[in-house]
Amino acid sequence: QERLEESGGGLVQDGGSLRLSCKSSGSASFTMNTMAWFRQAPGNEREFVAGIHWTSIPLYADHAKERFTISRDNAMNTVSLQMNSLKPEDTALYFCAAQPLGKTGTTRGDYQTWGRGTQVTVSS
């Protein structure tokens, strides 16, 4: 059974950068997974941030475009999210998600495997 573990969260000032990583283990074929990042702030629904199809085509939410970059390293079974120009409204728990041979969905139900999340806090 696949497991996902996120890392890289932390506290950063407004305008700063962070790089999140998600390590997959136990997957039969990571290269065939569509991977995504979601986030959830207290009191809010979990929302899509960025995804990367198993063909390596990326998809971004409007709030992430031109600030965030998603990438994958199939040799290391990892997916990363480089976040630049961070804002206080980016503060949330960030989750990694995976779906074998899936489309790059933007809803929670599009993904079958989830990590436990890594906290990102942006101070003003």
Side-chain angles (χ1 to χ4, degrees), residues 80-95:
S80 298
L81 184 69
Q82 177 66 42
M83 304 188 295
N84 299 327
S85 302
L86 283 162
K87 307 173 184 179
E89 51 263 44
D90 294 316
T91 295
L93 188 61
Y94 282 69
F95 296 91

Side-chain angles (χ1 to χ4, degrees), residues 30-85:
F30 177 81
T31 58
M32 304 304 285
N33 281 354
T34 289
M35 305 296 296
W37 288 95
F38 283 71
R39 69 186 186 184
Q40 188 167 14
N44 289 358
E45 296 290 321
R46 192 169 298 189
E47 66 173 355
F48 176 77
V49 177
I52 187 162
H53 195 255
W54 55 272
T55 58
S56 295
I57 297 172
L59 178 69
Y60 297 96
D62 287 345
H63 63 77
K65 288 178 181 176
E66 299 183 8
R67 297 191 301 131
F68 296 178
T69 302
I70 190 170
S71 61
R72 66 189 298 155
D73 183 342
N74 289 334
M76 298 297 291
N77 285 9
T78 60
V79 60
S80 298
L81 184 69
Q82 177 66 42
M83 304 188 295
N84 299 327
S85 302

